[in-house]
Amino acid sequence: DTGVSQNPRHKITKRGQNVTFRCDPISEHNRLYWYRQTLGQGPEFLTYFQNEAQLEKSRLLSDRFSAERPKGSFSTLEIQRTEQGDSAMYLCASSPQGGQGLYNEQFFGPGTRLTVL
Amino acid sequence: QKEVEQDPGPLSVPEGAIVSLNCTYSNSAFQYFMWYRQYSRKGPELLMYTYSSGNKEDGRFTAQVDKSSKYISLFIRDSQPSDSATYLCAMSAPGDTDKLIFGTGTRLQVFP
C-alpha cells in the first residue's frame, strides 16, 4: 500500500500524559499537513511542512503541541500534558508540489483517534 | 461566523434519488473547491475538484461553483447505498501552503 499511513490508529491516554503520533507520507510528496477533526466537525488545519521546514502553524496549535519532520520524510505530532479537549481524530495528509497556481491534491491518511480520559 | 458553512444533515434519501449537497463561504480569495467523501472512522478521500467557477461532471457526480454567490454544490445522481457517508466541502486560496478549509460535513444515508 503506497498511501499515507498513520500510527497508532487509536490511542487512549490519561489526562496529563504525553502522546506522540507518526505519519508516513506518500514517498516523494514534499508537502505534509496535520489536521484535527472533532466529532461532527470537518477537519481543521493545524500545521504544514514543506520538506523539513515547518512553514505554517494554526492558532489551534498551542504550546503543548509540537510537530517535526526530520529529513523531510515522516512526521511526528506530540501533545504534552494532554487535556480532555484534545480528544479528536488527528489526520495527516501529503501532496506533491506542483507549479505556482496549480492545485495539488492532498491525500489523507486514516487518522489517529485520540481519547483522553 | 465560520469561513465555510455546511448543513450537517443528516440527509436520508431512497436509492436512486438525486442528492444535492451545498456549502456557502465568505472568503472571496478561495479559488480551489473540493468535495471529499469520508466513511466512518476513515480519512477523507477526494471526490471532485473545481478551479474557480463552473461545472464539472464525473460519472454520477456533478460539482458546481458560483463564485458570485459564494456557493458550491455537489449533485449525486442515481444514489446508491454505497454513497452513504459524510460529504465534506473544502476550499483553498492560492498561496504557499494550499491548506484546506473544510465545512462541517453533511451525513448522507441512502436506503435501499
Side-chain angles (χ1 to χ4, degrees):
Chain A
D1 188 349
T2 56
V4 178
S5 62
Q6 293 187 246
N7 288 289
R9 294 292 309 278
H10 305 276
K11 179 71 177 177
I12 300 174
T13 191
K14 292 183 179 178
R15 190 175 52 190
Q17 298 294 304
N18 299 343
V19 294
T20 300
F21 311 139
R22 176 177 170 130
C23 170
D24 287 273
I26 294 171
S27 59
E28 299 181 357
H29 278 188
N30 60 349
R31 293 179 155 198
L32 187 145
Y33 304 80
W34 285 98
Y35 293 84
R36 181 173 69 186
Q37 186 175 25
T38 53
L39 199 61
Q41 300 296 316
E44 294 175 292
F45 170 77
L46 290 179
T47 190
Y48 159 72
F49 288 86
Q50 183 166 313
N51 299 309
E52 66 276 10
Q54 187 175 20
L55 297 184
E56 186 169 345
K57 292 195 293 187
S58 162
R59 287 171 296 173
L60 293 175
L61 217 62
S62 75
D63 291 344
R64 298 184 295 106
F65 288 70
S66 62
E68 294 182 341
R69 194 183 181 196
K71 302 179 184 178
S73 55
F74 71 92
S75 176
T76 58
L77 178 67
E78 181 184 16
I79 308 174
Q80 295 182 327
R81 305 181 303 281
T82 52
E83 302 173 355
Q84 286 184 324
D86 297 331
S87 295
M89 173 85 90
Y90 289 84
L91 292 161
C92 175
S94 71
S95 76
Q97 176 152 16
Q100 188 107 14
L102 296 177
Y103 173 70
N104 301 289
E105 179 181 350
Q106 292 183 28
F107 294 84
F108 282 82
T112 294
R113 183 171 296 279
L114 172 67
T115 302
V116 181
L117 302 176
Chain B
Q1 183 190 3
K2 290 186 174 182
E3 281 190 281
V4 180
E5 299 278 357
Q6 183 176 9
D7 187 335
L11 189 59
S12 185
V13 301
E15 184 175 355
I18 297 174
V19 176
S20 172
L21 303 166
N22 311 294
C23 289
T24 59
Y25 64 94
S26 56
N27 188 346
S28 57
F30 289 144
Q31 294 283 347
Y32 303 107
F33 303 92
M34 281 69 68
W35 286 96
Y36 280 83
R37 179 173 61 196
Q38 186 174 29
Y39 291 112
S40 181
R41 301 187 181 277
K42 304 279 188 182
E45 56 175 335
L46 184 66
L47 269 180
M48 304 276 292
Y49 142 62
T50 309
Y51 172 69
S52 195
S53 283
N55 294 359
K56 190 171 186 178
E57 189 172 320
D58 184 2
R60 296 184 295 111
F61 299 89
T62 300
Q64 290 184 348
V65 175
D66 181 348
K67 290 191 70 182
S68 62
S69 302
K70 295 191 176 68
Y71 186 89
I72 71 169
S73 301
L74 177 71
F75 297 95
I76 307 173
R77 290 183 298 281
D78 188 25
S79 55
Q80 303 295 311
S82 59
D83 294 329
S84 299
T86 295
Y87 290 80
L88 296 152
C89 63
M91 307 179 188
S92 179
D96 295 331
T97 70
D98 287 345
K99 66 184 178 189
L100 296 175
I101 309 299
F102 283 88
T104 54
T106 299
R107 193 155 59 92
L108 172 67
Q109 173 112 30
V110 181
F111 56 89

